């Protein structure tokens, strides 16, 4: 049974402070232990205030590598690009922000293989994976669709893969590259950032249902061996 700890906050500002503090602690610990840190950060609007606070931390950012937990297959600089949003915040601090989709392509499977090879050049496992959760229960870009089983149950050495959500989300109707379940579950620290009563209910149901959940997040978390911290605000 996965060990889950919920952390509840009064508002989004308090949530952002807490996430920034926890991520800073993980990075500092990794730098002390291994001389470098590799962290995967979720895209989306919810964690952005936390990232802006984190970027102000006095860290040796040149020894920190940041990758997105998932990326839309769009050109760098596109408004839908997760790594572009991360780069705007962390590149000025001196961090290495690594695109996992260096160029847009119509072959999303090839994009996934390329991302997996890029991630293989980093030290592994991740020091931290910070996830978000969608209203449909997806996490990273592990969506319902034809690639769900591969994302959940593919070879353990596969850290990332190309995915085609079905149906495509209307706000970003493009194929993606996502960390695999194994890439997520092997991280040294695993956190989830989520807001709102509706997503909390989805997450609670998914956790209780475990490996049989219709929600991808429930299946990702099922039997995860490390403790999972969930940061939530209404």
């Amino acid at each position: 049974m996965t060990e889950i700890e919920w952390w509840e906050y009064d508002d989004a500002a308090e949530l952002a402070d807490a996430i920034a503090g926890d991520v800073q602690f993980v990075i500092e610990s990794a730098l002390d232990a291994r001389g470098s840190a590799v962290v995967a950060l979720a895209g989306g609007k919810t964690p952005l205030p936390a990232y802006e606070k984190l970027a102000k931390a006095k860290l040796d950012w040149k020894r920190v590598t940041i990758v997105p937990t998932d990326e839309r297959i769009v050109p760098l600089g596109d408004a839908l690009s997760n790594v572009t949003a991360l780069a705007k915040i962390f590149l000025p601090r001196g961090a290495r922000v690594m695109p996992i989709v260096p160029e847009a392509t119509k072959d999303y499977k090839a994009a996934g293989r390329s991302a997996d090879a890029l991630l293989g050049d980093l030290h592994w496992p991740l020091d931290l994976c910070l996830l978000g959760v969608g209203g449909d229960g997806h996490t990273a870009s592990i969506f319902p669709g034809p690639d769900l089983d591969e994302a959940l149950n593919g070879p353990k050495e596969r850290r990332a893969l190309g995915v085609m959500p079905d149906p495509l989300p209307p706000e970003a109707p493009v194929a993606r590259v996502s960390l695999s379940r194994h890439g997520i579950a092997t991280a040294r620290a695993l956190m989830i950032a989520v807001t709102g009563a509706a997503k909390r209910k989805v997450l609670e149901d998914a956790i209780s249902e475990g490996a049989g959940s219709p929600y991808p997040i429930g299946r990702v978390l099922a039997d995860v061996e490390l403790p999972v911290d969930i940061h939530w605000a209404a």
Side-chain angles (χ1 to χ4, degrees), residues 26 33 41 50 54 71 73 77 90 101 121 131 156 174 201 209 214-215 217:
V26 171
L41 299 181
L54 174 64
E71 183 61 291
I73 301 179
F90 293 107
V101 180
D121 290 336
L131 296 170
K156 290 185 177 181
V174 295
K201 178 66 164 57
E209 293 158 351
Y215 297 119
I217 183 63

Side-chain angles (χ1 to χ4, degrees), residues 65-80:
T65 297
I66 297 169
V67 298
T69 58
D70 62 308
E71 183 61 291
R72 287 82 176 256
I73 301 179
V74 295
L76 291 174
D78 190 284
L80 294 179

Side-chain angles (χ1 to χ4, degrees), residues 9-233:
Y9 307 99
D10 292 334
D11 53 39
E14 190 177 325
L15 173 73
D17 283 337
I19 293 171
D22 280 10
V23 175
Q24 179 180 346
F25 175 79
V26 171
I27 292 174
E28 288 173 336
S29 299
L31 293 178
D32 288 343
R34 289 173 289 281
S36 64
V38 179
V39 299
L41 299 181
K45 295 179 181 178
T46 296
L48 283 179
Y51 300 160
E52 290 167 353
K53 292 176 181 291
L54 174 64
K56 298 175 183 177
K58 293 182 179 179
L59 292 167
D60 187 351
W61 286 104
K62 291 182 179 180
R63 294 192 287 151
V64 179
T65 297
I66 297 169
V67 298
T69 58
D70 62 308
E71 183 61 291
R72 287 82 176 256
I73 301 179
V74 295
L76 291 174
D78 190 284
L80 294 179
S81 169
N82 286 331
V83 81
T84 297
L86 292 171
K88 288 178 180 177
I89 296 172
F90 293 107
L91 276 183
R93 303 297 294 161
R96 178 190 182 194
V97 181
M98 192 178 87
I100 58 174
V101 180
E103 60 183 22
T105 175
K106 293 182 179 180
D107 187 343
Y108 74 93
K109 291 287 192 179
R113 291 191 293 270
S114 173
D116 190 52
L118 288 169
L119 291 172
D121 290 336
L122 304 177
H123 82 231
W124 211 262
L126 296 166
D127 294 301
L128 166 71
C129 184
L130 174 63
L131 296 170
V133 177
D136 60 355
H138 81 269
T139 191
S141 275
I142 301 180
F143 280 87
D147 306 295
L148 177 60
D149 184 68
E150 185 180 359
L152 294 171
N153 303 312
K156 290 185 177 181
E157 64 272 14
R158 183 178 299 157
R159 300 174 177 116
L161 71 159
V163 297
M164 181 67 75
D166 183 17
L168 284 170
E171 70 279 7
V174 295
R176 324 289 179 94
V177 165
S178 177
L179 290 180
S180 66
R181 178 189 182 276
H182 188 73
I184 292 167
T186 56
R188 290 186 171 96
L190 184 56
M191 302 179 195
I192 298 173
V194 66
T195 57
K199 287 186 179 180
R200 176 167 184 148
K201 178 66 164 57
V202 166
L203 191 48
E204 288 175 336
D205 288 348
I207 291 168
S208 67
E209 293 158 351
S213 178
Y215 297 119
I217 183 63
R219 298 174 67 182
V220 168
L221 294 180
D223 301 322
V224 167
E225 295 181 0
L226 74 163
V228 179
D229 289 312
I230 301 176
H231 297 276
W232 176 84

